[in-house]
Amino acid sequence: MTQIKIDKHWMTEAIKLAIKAKKLGEIPVGAILIKNDKLVAKNYNRSIIDNNPIAHAEMLVLQQAGKILKNYRLLNTTLYVTLQPCMMCQSAISNSRISRLVYGSKNNKLNFFASNIKTMKYFNLNQHINITEGILEKDCSIIINDFFKLRRSQNKKNKNNIVVL
């Protein structure tokens, strides 16, 4: 199997997790960690559900993987994420020493921080992380964009229903 087929397979699994998160009212991001072509850990965003600002899919997967592999260094692993990681997650990914990061959709909300992914790619002090962008990008983008469209629509509706006494 080619690397692109392998990447699409695992990203499809991460998308399933993002859809599960969306159904729970959570920001729909899924993440999966693979080692030796085997699933090590998987999760989805839980910040809203858990009232925890650091319960991003990536953070949860890295924590689970560390426990499963009995090591904070997640060498020779690949992390698949449906959305480009934020700066917090990028730092954790770097510290975990994964070998490869694969993400689907770019995170347009990062603005100037989006360039940090390039910093992570070229100037990583801990190790070089191979980064692959845009795997199943359209599918990943649709999920996150639809979620926020619905959220904005609900917020607008709630604003219009406010009764002033």
Side-chain angles (χ1 to χ4, degrees), residues 63-105:
Q63 288 174 335
Q64 289 171 336
K67 289 178 184 175
I68 290 166
L69 297 174
K70 296 182 182 2
N71 197 334
Y72 75 97
R73 293 172 42 162
L74 307 176
L75 302 172
N76 304 311
T77 60
T78 299
L79 180 64
Y80 290 87
V81 187
T82 57
L83 182 65
Q84 177 184 353
C86 69
M87 288 187 67
M88 173 185 68
C89 293
Q90 288 177 30
S91 293
I93 289 165
S94 175
N95 287 331
S96 73
R97 312 254 196 326
I98 69 161
S99 302
R100 188 164 176 252
L101 168 65
V102 180
Y103 68 87
S105 179

Side-chain angles (χ1 to χ4, degrees), residues 25-59:
E26 185 59 70
I27 297 169
V29 176
I32 291 180
L33 190 82
I34 304 303
K35 183 170 184 159
N36 299 326
D37 299 319
K38 292 189 172 93
L39 177 69
V40 175
K42 64 181 182 176
N43 220 316
Y44 49 84
N45 270 14
R46 298 189 54 88
S47 295
I48 296 169
I49 296 166
D50 293 349
N51 297 306
N52 181 348
I54 64 170
H56 292 196
E58 302 95 310
M59 300 292 280

Side-chain angles (χ1 to χ4, degrees), residues 2 8 18 21 29 32 59 82 84 104 122 142 146 158:
T2 65
K8 286 181 177 180
V29 176
I32 291 180
M59 300 292 280
T82 57
Q84 177 184 353
Y122 296 110
I142 287 170
D146 286 353
N158 288 341

